[in-house]
Amino acid sequence: MTAKLARNMRRGGMNLHNKAVRGNLIHAPVCGQIEALLDALILIDEAGVIAEVLPGCPPRLCADYAARGALVTLRPGQYLLPGLVDLHVHAPQFPQLGKALDLPLDRWLMEHTFPLEARYEDVGFAAEIYGRLIDTLLANGTTTALYFATIHLPASLKLAELCLQRGQRALVGRVAMDHPQTCPAFYRDASAALAADETRDFIAQVQALPGNVPRLVWPVITPRFIPACTDELLQLLGALATQTGCHVQTHCSEGDWEHQHVLARTGQSDAAALADFGLLTRRTVLAHGNFVSAADMDLIGAAGAGIAHCPVSNSYLADAVFPLRAALDRGLHVGLGTDIAGGASPSVLENARHAVTVSRMREDGVDATKPAGSRGVPGARIDFREAFWLATAGGGAALDLPIGQFAPGYMFDAMLVDQNAPHSHLGVTADDDAADVLQKIIYLVQRTNIARVWVGGRMVHEI
Ligand code: GUN
Ligand code: FE
């Protein structure tokens, strides 16, 4: 956190509670469609909830807000967008970002990830890394993150506390993993009962964090993935999900090795096994899902569960490209995940770009020695509008939270994009219509363009 932001936050100076913002707003409430409101007015209530979105600026209302110093007017070249939703982040893997991506998943976990995650027994180490990660994600426009922490309750709680302090909307899971054959002795839960008990304690402690205003930081039931958990643990966590109604997150059918391992052990796919364990709910987010079948999609859709599509990570660790178009056409809840550190970028926008790119490669195919007609998967592409929806409203819907769009009753979680920032690549011209502006934003915005970020009306980042 910069000294300037800390000062402003103390003063409450750039918080937007009971204020109005006037300027150009772009959002995507419906998948595949964008809505650009030029010179619009958005009213925020005292709790940071959007009270009204007016397509124009009624002069009397604007004058009233201006008279009491409660009108923030955006400058030319600035655009207000919903904050980004990251549906899959491994917080402890931040130091591993950009490393070891030439390994397959099983070796990547054993040789790099588990030894690193084991270090979070040290809460001081956790506090340092987690603080830097939250600042980095906020600076990239991520207003909501769904985090895996580690098996350590104190360090996982530290992550929840730091999100609360810094004002990031966060869903945090203390990771459960007890399988003696797949988890190393230095990094696994001593028993299924202990993992379930600590998960229960973690839920209670996060819910009781002082100042955890409704809807800011949530506990998440987090079996790492079926290979890392015994049946007993999965059953206990499924029962906990039913009892508490908490969110659930896990990895699902990510790559060949994982998918085949689960088939061999349970005789069914990840999605079907998770459903049997009671872990497929409206508040479940499955990371990846690259190998899900049509029947799996039916199960996931019937449960109302969501999928975190992680296109950057999948290009390295997954062996395949997620059938995103099919998932969207079935109306499944889907959003985007960075999958730090499987994906070597902390940016949801980078993943939005990559989601478009990999969908085009899935459609065209990649081997030019094959005939064009049988090279790829016809109709597999998505476009920038759908990618933007995934990064915002799609992610919000997957979490079953009122975030990701500018509408009354939704939280004012937003980022201010400024094309006139230093070293900007973004160059909107007079010839560009609203769709062009959004497309340029998706492809060209860098961290430097994200001038300010708010969560629930509270300013949490400023350049
Ligand atoms: N499967 C189980 N654990 C992990 C992890 O940390 N990252 C990824 N990408 N896949 C996993
Ligand atoms: Fe992951």
Side-chain angles (χ1 to χ4, degrees), residues 90 93 105 108-109 113 224-225 251 254 288 313 317 339:
H90 294 271
Q93 295 174 18
L105 179 62
W108 182 83
L109 287 172
T113 311
R224 184 172 203 117
F225 62 161
H251 296 86
E254 179 176 2
H288 310 297
S313 167
L317 296 176
D339 193 23

Side-chain angles (χ1 to χ4, degrees), residues 428-447:
V428 174
T429 72
D431 296 333
D432 293 330
D433 63 19
D436 297 328
V437 174
L438 179 68
Q439 192 166 9
K440 284 186 170 180
I441 286 174
I442 296 292
Y443 284 112
L444 298 173
V445 159
Q446 306 288 325
R447 178 172 164 156

Side-chain angles (χ1 to χ4, degrees), residues 393-414:
L399 292 172
D400 196 23
L401 295 180
I403 54 172
Q405 57 182 288
F406 297 131
Y410 279 71
M411 302 305 297
F412 185 81
D413 292 4

